[in-house]
Amino acid sequence: MQIFKHPLSDVQSTNIGKDTKIWQYVVILKDAIIGENCNICSHCFIENDVKIGNNVTVKCGVFIWDGITVEDNVHIGPNVTFVNHNIHRSKVYPEEFDKIYIHEGASLGANSTIKGGVNIGRYALVGAGSVVTKNIPDFTMWYGNPATFKAYICKCGQKVNESFTCKSCGLNYCLTDKGIIEKND
């Protein structure tokens, strides 16, 4: 299957991978890059300086502004808000927008807000309604306003136990000075 574009969408980019679905009332500007097998749900807007990897889900009502990079296998929940410019004045634009990186496998809960200049780590989980004001490390769960660390989690999304093992899928992790990493058996 090639890309599916709903007839009520406005897709100006030709940089869209196969098997991607774009639903009604979506606007994608001409320089945006979107990978394969993505699902861009209705009422989304994607600006020019945006890179979206493969197998990404963008739920309804998400606006992805210039300077945002989304890696593979990311889930962006409904109405997630990205802020790529931290000092706002009408008709005053920065020389460069604040970058936001959402790394592989991360999930952003519905209505969460992600401040400019923030990195969301690999397989991290941001809870619904959270306000993220600082970087989130790999394999961690954060929520609240402002979002705070709540637990270490596995690739599968479940919390790991005190010995850094996932009871759900059996993966093992070890604690380092930078957080947890997968154990190499």
Side-chain angles (χ1 to χ4, degrees), residues 22-139:
I22 300 164
W23 296 97
Q24 63 270 38
Y25 312 118
V26 170
V27 175
I28 301 174
L29 298 185
K30 68 179 180 65
D31 293 329
I33 299 170
I34 299 173
E36 296 181 358
N37 197 38
C38 293
N39 190 27
I40 313 297
C41 296
S42 66
H43 298 90
C44 290
F45 179 80
I46 300 173
E47 271 192 317
N48 282 302
D49 183 21
V50 171
K51 294 177 186 72
I52 296 175
N54 299 319
N55 306 310
V56 172
T57 297
V58 180
K59 298 304 276 184
C60 300
V62 175
F63 303 153
I64 303 179
W65 309 115
D66 285 338
I68 297 174
T69 300
V70 179
E71 292 184 352
D72 296 346
N73 303 306
V74 168
H75 176 89
I76 301 173
N79 301 305
V80 167
T81 299
F82 295 104
V83 181
N84 70 343
H85 179 35
N86 291 317
I87 300 173
H88 301 281
R89 293 287 184 254
S90 181
K91 305 297 182 189
V92 177
Y93 304 101
E95 288 183 28
E96 182 175 88
F97 290 102
D98 296 327
K99 306 292 185 207
I100 297 173
Y101 293 92
I102 313 300
H103 293 277
E104 179 184 3
S107 292
L108 307 178
N111 295 307
S112 56
T113 299
I114 313 301
K115 181 180 177 273
V118 165
N119 289 304
I120 307 293
R122 294 178 328 116
Y123 301 99
L125 177 64
V126 174
S130 298
V131 177
V132 177
T133 60
K134 58 186 173 183
N135 293 339
I136 294 187
D138 298 348
F139 301 108

Side-chain angles (χ1 to χ4, degrees), residues 167-180:
K167 288 186 179 180
S168 180
C169 72
L171 283 177
N172 293 304
Y173 296 84
C174 59
L175 185 61
T176 71
D177 58 344
K178 294 181 181 179
I180 65 170

Side-chain angles (χ1 to χ4, degrees), residues 3 8 32 50 68 80 97 110 117 137 143 152 156 161 185:
I3 69 169
L8 294 176
V50 171
I68 297 174
V80 167
F97 290 102
Y143 55 87
Y152 289 108
C156 74
N161 62 22
D185 292 352

